[in-house]
Amino acid sequence: METLDTVTDALIEEYCEEHSSEEGDLLYRLYRETYLHGVKPRMISGQLQGRFLSMVSRMLRPTNILEIGTFTGYSALCLAEGLAPDGQLHTIEVDEELEEIILRYVEQSSYKDSIHLHIGDARQLISRFDCKWDLVFIDAEKRGCREFYELVLPQMKKGGVMLIDNMLWSGKVVDSEGKPDLDTQAIMEFNDFVQQDERVDNVLLPLRDGIMMVMVKA
Ligand SMILES: C[S@@+](CC[C@H](N)C(=O)[O-])C[C@H]1O[C@@H](n2cnc3c(N)ncnc32)[C@H](O)[C@@H]1O
């Protein structure tokens, strides 16, 4: 199977996966189907990152979760594992061709009444929500990160957590050879921006392709 260029050594990655909880049958089937039939399957979170998302969510017990970039629904299903009993997860995906697979797997899960899929561009949809988010996962086009961040931050609760994926971009953020491509440039600027943003505390985790973890200050 094709895999993502993670920033950690492949053997370390494998070792971490072997020493992390299993994802369960539904997520395993979704992962396999994404790889067997999907375009760009390496975009899926997978077991290690998925278990991390699930654990963060279960620690926070969020009432409102927002995800930007559903893809086939894997990360949404992981995040939903921590929802408070009356909690809701809203996930936005621009590619309408993914709707069928997302809904088919959500329907088979215990969270089918708590996960709400919105098809469209997050730039247009974010402002329509009237929620105060406890947990946000941004995993869409990398050049849009700053815009998504600014749109979502005012909608977050104090102490709320935002996770932004791929912030090490296969290590290209520290590659000093040549001019960085546009995605790399956008990610580097975004990381620099978050680092000096006094509204939040932040940790850039070298998990898989890099997750920027942000907490809104009280
Ligand atoms: C990396 S994949 C998401 C992977 C998924 N979160 C997971 O972990 O399995 C990125 C997704 O974001 C979607 N996307 C890109 N730009 C978007 C936008 N402006 N609004 C909503 N979705 C977007 C893409 O179509 C793609 O399915």
Side-chain angles (χ1 to χ4, degrees):
M1 278 182 185
E2 187 191 14
T3 53
L4 185 87
D5 295 331
T6 58
V7 292
T8 35
D9 175 86
L11 276 178
I12 294 283
E13 190 83 5
E14 204 178 310
Y15 185 84
C16 291
E17 283 172 7
E18 285 167 5
H19 294 81
S20 300
S21 298
E22 289 179 7
E23 60 203 331
D25 176 63
L26 183 72
L27 288 167
Y28 178 71
R29 283 192 285 114
L30 174 55
Y31 185 83
R32 286 213 28 101
E33 184 170 340
T34 302
Y35 265 88
L36 289 174
H37 304 292
V39 179
K40 295 198 190 164
R42 55 195 256 166
M43 294 200 296
I44 195 169
S45 278
Q47 180 237 357
L48 184 61
Q49 182 162 306
R51 289 306 84 209
F52 174 74
L53 295 174
S54 164
M55 200 170 278
V56 169
S57 184
R58 285 187 288 146
M59 288 191 293
L60 294 174
R61 284 280 158 207
T63 303
N64 292 306
I65 304 179
L66 174 67
E67 176 181 63
I68 304 174
T70 321
F71 190 40
T72 54
Y74 188 99
S75 48
L77 288 166
C78 295
L79 291 163
E81 290 174 20
L83 278 171
D86 57 344
Q88 305 293 318
L89 181 152
H90 294 272
T91 181
I92 307 175
E93 173 53 55
V94 76
D95 184 351
E96 61 186 20
E97 289 187 9
L98 291 166
E99 185 170 8
E100 187 276 327
I101 185 168
I102 298 166
L103 294 180
R104 184 155 46 82
Y105 277 86
V106 166
E107 202 50 40
Q108 294 173 65
S109 79
S110 343
Y111 315 106
K112 61 180 183 211
D113 297 327
S114 321
I115 297 181
H116 310 282
L117 173 65
H118 306 268
I119 297 291
D121 189 328
R123 287 184 184 80
Q124 271 86 57
L125 297 181
I126 291 170
S127 58
R128 296 191 195 167
F129 292 105
D130 187 22
C131 293
K132 277 288 179 191
W133 309 114
D134 305 280
L135 177 60
V136 173
F137 182 44
I138 299 182
D139 191 13
E141 53 187 287
K142 303 310 157 191
R143 284 179 230 173
C145 277
R146 173 77 189 276
E147 198 176 347
F148 299 141
Y149 179 89
E150 291 295 358
L151 287 168
V152 166
L153 203 63
Q155 300 181 346
M156 291 188 68
K157 285 185 192 159
K158 303 285 181 208
V161 169
M162 193 191 300
L163 303 167
I164 307 110
D165 198 16
N166 306 106
M167 290 300 108
L168 293 175
W169 208 231
S170 306
K172 289 185 194 166
V173 291
V174 291
D175 185 354
S176 51
E177 281 180 26
K179 194 171 177 287
D181 59 42
L182 291 177
D183 285 331
T184 309
Q185 185 70 40
I187 290 167
M188 291 167 75
E189 284 171 12
F190 177 72
N191 286 334
D192 289 347
F193 175 77
V194 172
Q195 179 64 14
Q196 57 76 53
D197 187 355
E198 298 199 340
R199 297 170 293 180
V200 301
D201 290 313
N202 57 295
V203 184
L204 179 50
L205 298 168
L207 172 67
R208 194 166 162 271
D209 196 28
I211 298 182
M212 178 63 90
M213 188 167 191
V214 165
M215 182 179 274
V216 182
K217 284 183 184 169

